[in-house]
Amino acid sequence: EVPDVIDIDSEKQSTLESYGIGNAKTDAFGRKCLLARRLVEKGVRFVQAYAGNWDSHDYIQRAHGSLIQSVDKPIAALLNDLKERGMLDETLVVWGGEFGRTPMFQGKGKNPGRDHHIRGFSMFLAGGGVKGGTSYGATDALGYHAVENKVHVHDLHATMLHLLGIQHDRFTHKFQGLDFKLSGVEESRVVKEIIS
């Protein structure tokens, strides 16, 4: 079935345009997002659409501004397409990276960047039982520390597993005297405030 799934020639021109396919800036990631939708349609349970090269430490405004322009339209198209096809309710979409960026510039001169930052960063979840239009958590005024409704990565994993119908704390295995859960060895909770 793979050749048929990856052959996007059968898609309407309006669909291709909505994903940004044919536009130099959005074509590559647009194809990944469209392929993700087609794979989900065929019953593939886990799909990752990867947009790389976010590890900028200089020219941050130019570098990330360009990257955002390349992913924004395709992501919006994917969410709209899943919704229009009645698939968003059963498809959990997670957008995020491995870490945030410091709120202050790193380095001096005309090409300042930002360093890796673990104390406050954003992600979004859509569909799959997530309450639409909900914003949860906040940072301080500088964006340096998470200060309100903090969600640890273990909580995020527990919540995602819950949305997939898996009880994160029921599946454990012993390793070096510890009970490892799917969401780690530390305490974790399902963030029920974002679940519809």
Side-chain angles (χ1 to χ4, degrees):
E1 295 183 31
V2 172
D4 290 336
V5 173
I6 63 174
D7 179 12
I8 62 171
D9 291 339
S10 62
E11 294 287 343
K12 295 180 191 171
Q13 185 61 33
S14 60
T15 301
L16 298 175
E17 288 172 5
S18 72
Y19 280 89
I21 294 171
N23 178 307
K25 179 64 88 178
T26 53
D27 187 83
F29 194 66
R31 288 176 182 275
K32 291 176 184 179
C33 287
L34 179 56
L35 182 56
R37 192 225 65 213
R38 292 172 64 91
L39 288 167
V40 169
E41 252 178 339
K42 287 290 187 180
V44 176
R45 296 177 67 187
F46 295 94
V47 178
Q48 177 181 350
Y50 181 76
N53 300 322
W54 290 83
D55 196 15
S56 303
H57 289 268
D58 54 9
Y59 300 103
I60 195 81
Q61 189 171 358
R62 184 177 71 199
H64 281 196
S66 176
L67 287 164
I68 288 166
Q69 290 174 13
S70 71
V71 300
D72 193 41
K73 183 174 185 166
I75 290 168
L78 174 61
L79 294 173
N80 287 331
D81 207 359
L82 289 170
K83 186 173 184 179
E84 286 175 6
R85 294 167 186 270
M87 297 165 51
L88 188 58
D89 288 343
E90 294 184 359
T91 305
L92 177 62
V93 178
V94 179
W95 183 92
E98 57 188 343
F99 42 69
R101 289 284 173 182
T102 53
M104 74 290 287
F105 282 130
Q106 167 193 17
K108 295 182 180 180
K110 61 183 179 182
N111 61 344
R114 297 189 182 202
D115 205 354
H116 299 173
H117 187 58
I118 62 169
R119 305 220 181 268
F121 57 96
S122 301
M123 300 182 71
F124 79 71
L125 280 68
V130 173
K131 199 183 302 180
T134 300
S135 179
Y136 188 80
T139 63
D140 59 24
L142 295 176
Y144 195 76
H145 289 283
V147 295
E148 179 183 312
N149 297 328
K150 296 178 187 180
V151 177
H152 191 279
V153 68
H154 297 299
D155 300 336
L156 174 65
H157 291 164
T159 304
M160 290 166 45
L161 289 164
H162 175 82
L163 290 166
L164 295 172
I166 300 169
Q167 294 179 332
H168 72 99
D169 54 353
R170 299 275 317 268
F171 293 95
T172 63
H173 72 278
K174 289 264 190 214
F175 181 72
Q176 295 184 345
L178 297 173
D179 287 324
F180 276 83
K181 297 177 289 198
L182 292 176
S183 54
V185 294
E186 298 176 15
E187 274 303 309
S188 52
R189 70 177 188 94
V190 173
V191 184
K192 294 184 178 174
E193 295 85 350
I194 67 166
I195 297 174
S196 59

